[in-house]
């Protein structure tokens, strides 16, 4: 999927899920392809941290014979991060506040759909 199409799909998802605070697409090394957040956030830092989480999760999956990461949802004190992707794919990252808890499944399902395009 090209950058323009990816940007369009992520913008549509932001419209569908109003509780979503940000969407970022990054390569497996954590380099931002496109990113949009409702507040000023360092997309590069977020992408690099998520790439490290994916890499470490893939290592764990390999160590326990379960394969690579497909998706994960991380719950923080004040919100959530949803990651979709693996070592050989781009990572898609959704950010949501506490008010977005009910929309996490919708975010994940849409990110999975976008990642398959």
């Amino acid at each position: 999927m090209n950058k323009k199409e990816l940007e369009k799909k992520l913008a549509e998802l932001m419209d569908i899920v109003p509780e979503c605070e940000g969407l970022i697409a990054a390569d497996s090394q954590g380099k931002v392809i496109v990113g949009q957040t409702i507040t000023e956030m360092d997309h590069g830092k977020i992408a690099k941290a998520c790439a490290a989480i994916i890499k470490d999760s893939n290592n764990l999956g390999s160590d326990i014979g379960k394969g690579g990461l497909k998706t994960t949802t991380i719950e923080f004190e004040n919100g959530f991060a949803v990651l979709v992707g693996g070592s050989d794919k781009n990572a898609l990252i959704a950010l949501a506040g506490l008010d977005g808890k009910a929309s996490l499944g919708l975010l994940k399902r849409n990110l999975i759909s976008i990642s398959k395009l």
Side-chain angles (χ1 to χ4, degrees):
M1 177 182 309
N2 68 44
K3 181 179 175 177
K4 215 172 193 72
E5 188 177 349
L6 183 58
E7 197 168 31
K8 180 180 178 239
K9 292 287 184 189
L10 293 179
E12 288 171 357
L13 181 53
M14 285 283 281
D15 290 340
I16 292 169
V17 184
E19 300 85 4
C20 183
E21 295 180 351
L23 292 166
I24 299 169
D27 67 16
S28 60
Q29 303 303 308
K31 181 180 176 207
V32 175
I33 299 167
V34 296
Q36 174 182 351
T37 52
I38 60 170
T39 61
E40 194 65 34
M41 293 184 188
D42 187 334
H43 298 175
K45 263 186 158 175
I46 295 166
K48 287 205 181 299
C50 290
I53 291 168
I54 291 170
K55 181 181 177 206
D56 289 344
S57 296
N58 284 333
N59 289 339
L60 173 62
S62 178
D63 291 346
I64 63 175
K66 301 298 183 190
L69 177 75
K70 293 175 79 173
T71 70
T72 189
T73 301
I74 304 167
E75 183 174 358
F76 300 103
E77 291 174 6
N78 296 309
F80 304 89
V82 179
L83 286 76
V84 172
S87 60
D88 60 341
K89 294 183 177 182
N90 292 337
L92 298 177
I93 305 154
L95 307 171
L98 293 174
D99 64 333
K101 187 172 188 171
S103 300
L104 294 176
L106 180 61
L107 280 171
K108 186 180 282 190
R109 185 178 74 224
N110 278 281
L111 290 178
I112 291 168
S113 293
I114 292 168
S115 74
K116 292 180 179 180
L117 297 176

